[in-house]
Amino acid sequence: MTERIKFSIYIACMTMMLSASGCGKHQQDITIYENGNIYTCDDSLPHASAMVVSKGKILFIGEADDLQEYKDKTCKHIDLHGKTVLPGFIESHAHPACYGFMDAGDMLVIDGGATKEEILEQLEEYLNKHPNAPHILGQGYGLAYLGLPEGETPTAKDLDRVSDRIPILLYDEGCHSGWANSVALTLAGVDEHTPDPLPGVHYYVRYPGTQKPTGYLCENTAHIVANAFPFNTTERVAEHLEKALDTYSKMGFTAVFDAGDIFNSTYPAVAMLQERNKLNLYYQKGYWADQTLSVAENIARLKQLDKQYSKENVYCNVYKLFEDGTIEAESAALLAPYSNSGKRVEPFLSREENLEHVSAALSAGYAVHAHAIGDKGQQYILDAFLKTKDINPSLPRAIAHNQVFEPARTDKYIAMKENLFCQTTPSWTVPEAVEETLDKLGEKRFLHQYLWGTLADNGVRITFGSDYPANLLEEVNPFRQIWHAAMRADSTSGYFPPYDAGLEIREGIKAYTIHAAQQMGLSDITGSLKTGKNADFILVDRDVFQCPPEEVKEAKVIATYFQGKEITTCKQ
């Protein structure tokens, strides 16, 4: 027998011996986590003290007494010392690639309560400090606070006072409207000959009796102007998206649903990070249906994006619809006129168009995610979902934001609770928003907002997301959103009524874990800590189920693990 054959037999025998010795078969591939306070978000086993992870998967979760088969000195042992463990958080609605775009443009934060003159002064001060700035991109102004007469909007002439040399574009607080100077309009090729992409929905405000744009931009026209800015390159947007996602990881996120944009750099930027192994979470990117195209053309576009970009932990499999805008911009579709201005706003899509879009997307195998804030917008998409509930019923349907509920309130949601998700952002119910919202909606509709508690009590799954960058960075923190939702249950808090709409901390955690995973169609691999699923989890500095609600918002993520790999560690 040759030495080579002897050596081969020796290796084979050693392999068999290791295979029979528990952890030894993988040497250091198996990690045992013991003495933990583990909340699984799995109803079949809500709590555990031990977990075994190997090659990114959970091999076991339960109690330490059942770990015997894994007890071997060749395993890696980690004593959690009682620390709280949760599934990794999942952002159910935000625009991280859009933020990457804005950050690439050195976005300036505008105070939402500032007047027009205060904003112009802020911009002038910025240029004094940065005289060589190639542009100004800002976000955050509130139209209602600019100090303009009812119905008026700011103009390019206002911003031209700041600079007629560089392009300036400001987004409003919800990124549904924009305000550009003359240089920015010229850069984007916008003039009196430029048609509105979709009159009455996506349009350029024009001077009365003329076709000349004023510089105020409604809905997608703001993004069209922004798309023309020179900083908008794949490399630069990818660089800033990576920074944004690093922040997400530090906050405990292991998955995000990117609710989309129309910038030409964002899909390639996500792909670039994936190719460079810089995408340490599941990334699902929604496709914005273009209302200037036919339904068939939109489906074809999504199929092409899916084919081109869906790979590993990137998913391009969601069809995004817009029913309306926002209450703040008075572009949300309401059944009755706005109480303050008498303005009437119709949904962006008719009942027939909604049905056509939803039917086609579901039939093509794509989930549908719809933005609806006003009661009429919500009504239209709910009715479309009802009529298509038997088309690919396993595909998730989600309505985002859900501010003003239609007169039927929660009945339609409850009828479709098997596959319909109510996505929302609790920080939008804070006391500071009460006065403006009450003024625009009136008392009756004001009491029909964000009815999460009734939905949850009837088995409808709620998911939480920040909608960043249409929100403050601090509100990306899941613990803050969970705290906001709990505060609504306190009648003395000053938050939006009704107070039975608030959610307990436990429901808030589920909204950021298993429910969000189900909305994304990923609950078979993530969202809860269960044998066979990927090891996506976080360590937290306190037990958020046991501490007072006020302390929940102060909770910190100690470490984030994605597919068993430690992505971030925060010093305590």
Side-chain angles (χ1 to χ4, degrees), residues 358-386:
V358 172
S359 297
L362 294 174
S363 297
Y366 294 110
V368 179
H369 189 102
H371 166 119
I373 285 184
D375 49 12
K376 196 166 189 177
Q378 188 195 59
Q379 185 181 79
Y380 275 30
I381 188 61
L382 278 170
D383 289 346
F385 281 151
L386 267 173

Side-chain angles (χ1 to χ4, degrees), residues 33-59:
Y33 297 88
E34 294 184 87
N35 300 321
N37 177 33
I38 305 173
Y39 291 98
T40 67
C41 291
D42 172 22
D43 289 341
S44 67
L45 182 68
H47 190 269
S49 63
M51 180 169 62
V52 179
V53 173
S54 178
K55 296 182 178 179
K57 298 280 188 181
I58 298 173
L59 293 185

Side-chain angles (χ1 to χ4, degrees), residues 425-447:
T425 302
S427 62
W428 289 346
T429 66
V430 295
E432 293 81 358
V434 167
E435 183 178 354
E436 180 186 359
T437 308
L438 181 59
D439 180 52
K440 291 180 182 295
L441 294 180
E443 189 170 344
K444 184 177 181 180
R445 286 183 300 204
F446 186 74
L447 297 175

